[in-house]
Amino acid sequence: MVTENNCKGKLGTISERLGNRCYGFGVRHLQSVCMCLCMISLFIARGSMAVAVLAMTDRSRLNSTDITIYDWDKNIQGLILSSFFWGYTLMQIPAGLLAKRYGGKPVLLVALLANGLICGLLPVLSYIGGWPVVCACRVLMGLTQACLFPASHTLLGRWLPAQERTTLAGIIYGGTQLGTIIAMPLSGLLAETAIGWKLIFYSISGLMFTSAAVWYFFSASTPGEHRFMTELERQYIERGLHTSGGKVLRTPWRHILRSRGLWAIAITHIGFSCSYVLFFVDMPTYLEKGLHISLKNSASLSALPYAGMWLGNIVSASVSEKIFNRGLLSVGTCRKLFNSVACFGMAFGLAGLSFIGKEHENMAIAVLVATLTLYGFSAAGFMMSHLDMSPNFAGVMLSLTNFIANFGSVGTPLLTSFILNNDPTDLSRWRICFLIISCLLIVTNIMYMIFASAKCQPWDDPDFEDKKSADPEEVTPALTSSAILKAEEAKNH
């Protein structure tokens, strides 16, 4: 449905100048729901292994004739959990280029189908080949899921007007927390059934194929390709975005790699990636072995901090967008403010958590929830900086920063395994892990505050190469309304 309201604030004034309309709910919101569903499904597949690997090695069920239990120590479990990120890191840049070349829809469709097939076969394959085959399956899942964020950023740059982008992107990326919230307690419950941990993978396989069907029928790579799109809404979305439409753009690698803002994003991305993986991978073990909470309760309590993170994600995205739409702060200042709340909040939370003993398990859970709630503020921080700098190449830029950051993702489970030394009950060893990540978060955020930028870059222009090679006198008069828009935004940032 299309509505006409008063557009308020800096971006609202620009919208009035370009068309004097603000549009209500439409096909772009259906696209956003489909993207959120895709996030939820793939993160369920990704996150379930943290609980499944504990159930697969639960020696208390050795006498159950229908359940296979494996003798895998902490080091092997760390390899299994980190192996996802081997493939995930390796495929980051190719995934970003594939999403840019073919669009987000087909790339994410392949990811859903591939993960469904792998999860359906994993129980049989693990019985045949043991933990090395499980690692291989996780590597394949990582390879296919590497496209998730680059493809999503590519879709965001093509679907969402600037004045709506932060809030809707926060809702879409909130699917990462919702997936984790669902995966951990659900995996714990499924592992307790007569079929045991195998039911985790069979259930996820069915979810992947169902999500793939929804994605195929109700999503599109661009507004113009969507079967339900109206001409009015398409014009509203594309007006002022200055995107390439159907034109395939050559990636300006030299300009992207020389951008100081890109490296500022990459540095803070490392800190967030390491801290997220620390909890994403090791939280069930910390709760069960360190705080002595049962597997079933561990799975449920592990999801609580992610519920807080989801809340922080949604609230920060909405509040941030209102602040800069009303002209209270510039976009760049908002990004740095909310990123700092997330980073410093996470750092101080981890430092506090490291000194809480097992006799105060309720306090530890409360600190975990508060810490990841503040972490959710990053949805309005560095995660939006790629789109601020370049809607056309946001997916490629995110693939670059994610590639760099995921070296930390690979190393974090291995580092914790080394520090814990097969003794996850020793809280002093957990303290070392938490303090290392806490310091990393502080340092990386300081770098982001100094060097990050929210200005749309000149090389984002689809005609940048043509204008650069043309006679400057011929190019100067050719200022369109979208060029004026970008110039005014640059002044404000």
Side-chain angles (χ1 to χ4, degrees):
M1 182 179 73
V2 180
T3 60
E4 192 170 342
N5 304 310
N6 292 324
C7 304
K8 299 179 180 178
K10 206 174 293 180
L11 289 173
T13 303
I14 292 166
S15 295
E16 288 177 0
R17 201 176 304 140
L18 292 174
N20 201 32
R21 287 189 178 213
C22 284
Y23 285 77
F25 288 100
V27 177
R28 67 192 184 283
H29 296 96
L30 174 62
Q31 174 76 15
S32 299
V33 169
C34 290
M35 291 175 66
C36 186
L37 175 63
C38 194
M39 283 276 175
I40 292 171
S41 300
L42 289 173
F43 259 77
I44 288 174
R46 183 189 303 196
S48 59
M49 182 55 79
V51 175
V53 73
L54 294 176
M56 295 169 80
T57 57
D58 184 8
R59 300 186 65 82
S60 67
R61 303 194 71 176
L62 277 173
N63 295 328
S64 300
T65 56
D66 297 329
I67 301 175
T68 305
I69 300 298
Y70 298 100
D71 186 20
W72 299 335
D73 62 21
K74 178 62 180 174
N75 290 328
I76 292 176
Q77 292 176 40
L79 284 173
I80 291 172
L81 294 173
S82 68
S83 58
F84 174 92
F85 297 101
W86 305 346
Y88 188 75
T89 301
L90 183 65
M91 196 63 182
Q92 274 299 306
I93 295 177
L97 295 174
L98 286 171
K100 175 178 167 292
R101 176 66 179 84
Y102 297 105
K105 177 177 178 176
V107 173
L108 289 175
L109 180 63
V110 170
L112 289 166
L113 293 173
N115 278 262
L117 181 62
I118 293 168
C119 287
L121 294 176
L122 194 144
V124 174
L125 294 176
S126 64
Y127 180 77
I128 295 172
W131 68 265
V133 174
V134 176
C135 283
C137 288
R138 294 286 290 176
V139 170
L140 289 174
M141 290 177 70
L143 286 169
T144 56
Q145 285 203 33
C147 66
L148 180 57
F149 288 104
S152 296
H153 250 44
T154 298
L155 289 167
L156 289 172
R158 295 176 179 177
W159 271 91
L160 299 183
Q163 66 269 20
E164 299 178 353
R165 186 180 295 150
T166 303
T167 295
L168 289 176
I171 293 171
I172 290 166
Y173 284 126
T176 63
Q177 292 93 47
L178 289 177
T180 307
I181 291 168
I182 295 169
M184 289 189 170
L186 181 62
S187 297
L189 291 172
L190 293 174
E192 298 274 328
T193 63
I195 301 176
W197 58 266
K198 294 180 181 179
L199 188 58
I200 297 174
F201 297 105
Y202 294 145
S203 300
I204 292 172
S205 179
L207 174 64
M208 292 298 104
F209 290 124
T210 303
S211 300
V214 173
W215 181 252
Y216 178 79
F217 285 107
F218 296 104
S219 72
S221 293
T222 64
E225 295 175 6
H226 203 288
R227 65 185 71 191
F228 301 134
M229 178 59 64
T230 64
E231 182 64 19
L232 285 175
E233 187 179 4
R234 184 188 66 78
Q235 290 179 4
Y236 167 69
I237 293 170
E238 294 179 352
R239 185 188 299 125
L241 280 182
H242 209 48
T243 53
S244 61
K247 179 182 176 183
V248 178
L249 300 179
R250 190 173 73 177
T251 304
W253 287 110
R254 183 167 62 91
H255 298 284
I256 291 175
L257 294 174
R258 291 175 61 184
S259 171
R260 186 176 65 178
L262 172 77
W263 295 106
I265 298 170
I267 290 170
T268 197
H269 203 157
I270 293 171
F272 277 104
S273 182
C274 291
S275 59
Y276 185 77
V277 169
L278 174 70
F279 285 102
F280 188 78
V281 170
D282 287 309
M283 188 189 296
T285 304
Y286 170 71
L287 293 175
E288 184 181 31
K289 305 296 184 182
L291 299 183
H292 301 296
I293 301 172
S294 70
L295 174 61
K296 183 175 180 180
N297 289 334
S298 176
S300 301
L301 291 173
S302 292
L304 271 180
Y306 293 99
M309 187 176 176
W310 175 81
L311 181 63
N313 189 322
I314 300 299
V315 170
S316 65
S318 178
V319 170
S320 173
E321 189 170 277
K322 283 181 170 59
I323 288 173
F324 64 71
N325 274 353
R326 293 176 181 177
L328 301 177
L329 292 173
S330 69
V331 175
T333 303
C334 274
R335 301 293 183 234
K336 293 176 182 180
L337 173 63
F338 282 85
N339 204 74
S340 297
V341 171
C343 247
F344 293 140
M346 188 78 168
F348 292 131
L350 282 170
L353 185 65
S354 66
F355 292 100
I356 297 177
K358 63 185 68 177
E359 66 276 9
H360 302 294
E361 61 181 45
N362 291 332
M363 183 184 296
I365 295 298
V367 172
L368 279 172
V369 174
T371 299
L372 282 184
T373 298
L374 293 175
Y375 184 106
F377 280 55
S378 63
F382 84 98
M383 277 299 291
M384 297 304 299
S385 294
H386 313 81
L387 288 158
D388 294 332
M389 293 178 65
S390 175
N392 279 313
F393 300 103
V396 174
M397 291 175 64
L398 181 57
S399 70
L400 283 168
T401 63
N402 219 10
F403 171 75
I404 296 168
N406 274 284
F407 282 103
S409 298
V410 173
T412 299
L414 300 178
L415 176 66
T416 56
S417 295
F418 173 77
I419 294 173
L420 294 175
N421 194 28
N422 273 328
D423 186 13
T425 62
D426 188 347
L427 291 181
S428 65
R429 296 179 183 271
W430 284 107
R431 181 178 303 130
I432 295 172
C433 297
F434 293 161
L435 291 177
I436 289 173
I437 301 299
S438 181
C439 292
L440 180 66
L441 282 164
I442 292 172
V443 172
T444 55
N445 185 62
I446 290 173
M447 300 297 289
Y448 177 81
M449 292 175 66
I450 295 172
F451 297 111
S453 172
K455 295 179 181 178
C456 190
Q457 303 300 298
W459 40 263
D460 179 64
D461 190 333
D463 301 318
F464 173 70
E465 292 295 337
D466 295 336
K467 290 179 180 180
K468 196 173 67 167
S469 59
D471 187 336
E473 293 183 359
E474 296 178 4
V475 177
T476 302
L479 282 175
T480 62
S481 62
S482 59
I484 295 172
L485 168 62
K486 288 179 178 294
E488 291 187 3
E489 287 180 340
K491 288 180 183 178
N492 292 321
H493 303 335

